[in-house]
Amino acid sequence: GAGVSQSPSNKVTEKGKDVELRCDPISGHTALYWYRQRLGQGLEFLIYFQGNSAPDKSGLPSDRFSAERTGESVSTLTIQRTQQEDSAVYLCASSLFGRAETQYFGPGTRLLVL
Amino acid sequence: ILNVEQSPQSLHVQEGDSTNFTCSFPSSNFYALHWYRWETAKSPEALFVMTLNGDEKKKGRISATLNTKEGYSYLYIKGSQPEDSATYLCAPSTGNQFYFGTGTSLTVIP
């Protein structure tokens, strides 16, 4: 079956603009995760959805970041008033039920803020 | 923030050698431990998820163990092959957060 897909694959934006990143998880996966990797740094957890709700949003780096999930399917990560330090690869993953299940990653969105 | 340490940071081995890495984490509030394999220019690939103290998982030549009481996990690769070259990440989770180590970069020399 289809894997996790993310769009766009690459995004270049100007500082101060808003961007929206999309993740389509594997059909039937109730858990969805967002991560990012900034250049030269490790993988950083952002947020986890169980169904349509995110039990803990404290991993989001600032209040400019928000995430939503609808219909226990697609999720969007929105970054408002982008800054250069937001430049990173944003990865989405999904798993069948929850946090102790195997996660399947999408190809990522490469965001560059000029 | 959970302090996750992985060692060694990088490793070069000859093809056919067996090797192992360590992931250390605080044992309080532990929920699950994930191991991932991450090749350059690709997305991470999940290897194992372990939750119980004493868990051992195996996938081909790769295996992992978990000690939740002392807060560590070992990843073993038997008979390393060049295609095993990648960064190996561990991520314990507590509550609804995941905390990644910086990884062990493995290079297998043919």
Side-chain angles (χ1 to χ4, degrees):
Chain A
V4 178
S5 60
Q6 292 185 246
S7 61
S9 54
N10 292 281
K11 176 73 177 178
V12 180
T13 190
E14 292 179 348
K15 179 181 171 182
K17 302 275 189 180
D18 297 352
V19 295
E20 190 172 278
L21 311 180
R22 178 186 168 109
C23 172
D24 283 273
I26 293 172
S27 178
H29 280 196
T30 63
L32 185 147
Y33 313 78
W34 282 100
Y35 303 93
R36 75 173 178 183
Q37 186 196 25
R38 291 187 282 185
L39 190 64
Q41 298 189 20
L43 200 57
E44 179 186 358
F45 167 76
L46 299 180
I47 194 168
Y48 150 72
F49 284 91
Q50 183 59 53
N52 291 335
S53 65
D56 185 347
K57 298 182 180 181
S58 62
L60 293 173
S62 77
D63 58 9
R64 296 185 295 103
F65 285 71
S66 62
E68 286 187 345
R69 189 179 186 197
T70 55
E72 295 199 355
S73 180
V74 64
S75 175
T76 54
L77 178 70
T78 302
I79 309 173
Q80 294 178 310
R81 306 180 303 282
T82 51
Q83 303 293 311
Q84 289 180 333
E85 63 262 26
D86 299 334
S87 297
V89 176
Y90 288 83
L91 288 161
C92 173
S94 70
S95 66
L96 195 56
F97 293 122
R99 294 164 286 152
E101 302 276 339
T102 299
Q103 295 179 27
Y104 297 87
F105 282 80
T109 292
R110 284 153 185 78
L111 175 66
L112 178 61
V113 182
L114 300 175
Chain B
I1 295 179
L2 212 67
N3 186 30
V4 182
E5 294 184 1
Q6 289 191 247
S7 62
Q9 191 171 21
S10 67
L11 194 56
H12 289 71
V13 301
Q14 293 289 330
E15 182 177 353
D17 287 351
S18 294
T19 186
N20 64 86
F21 330 130
T22 304
C23 171
S24 302
F25 51 90
S27 54
S28 59
N29 298 320
F30 172 85
Y31 184 79
L33 189 287
H34 296 249
W35 278 102
Y36 302 89
R37 180 171 174 273
W38 199 358
E39 288 181 74
T40 303
K42 293 186 178 180
S43 295
E45 173 195 357
L47 289 174
F48 305 112
V49 182
M50 295 180 286
T51 57
L52 300 176
N53 184 47
D55 257 355
E56 292 188 29
K57 293 281 179 87
K58 187 175 180 183
K59 186 177 182 180
R61 294 179 290 99
I62 306 176
S63 59
T65 60
L66 177 66
N67 183 323
T68 60
K69 292 184 179 179
E70 296 182 40
Y72 64 83
S73 176
Y74 294 136
L75 187 80
Y76 301 92
I77 302 179
K78 184 178 178 181
S80 303
Q81 299 297 308
E83 58 265 31
D84 296 331
S85 297
T87 296
Y88 292 83
L89 293 171
C90 73
S93 67
T94 67
N96 294 296
Q97 300 271 344
F98 287 76
Y99 301 91
F100 284 86
T102 52
T104 293
S105 174
L106 173 67
T107 302
V108 181
I109 303 163

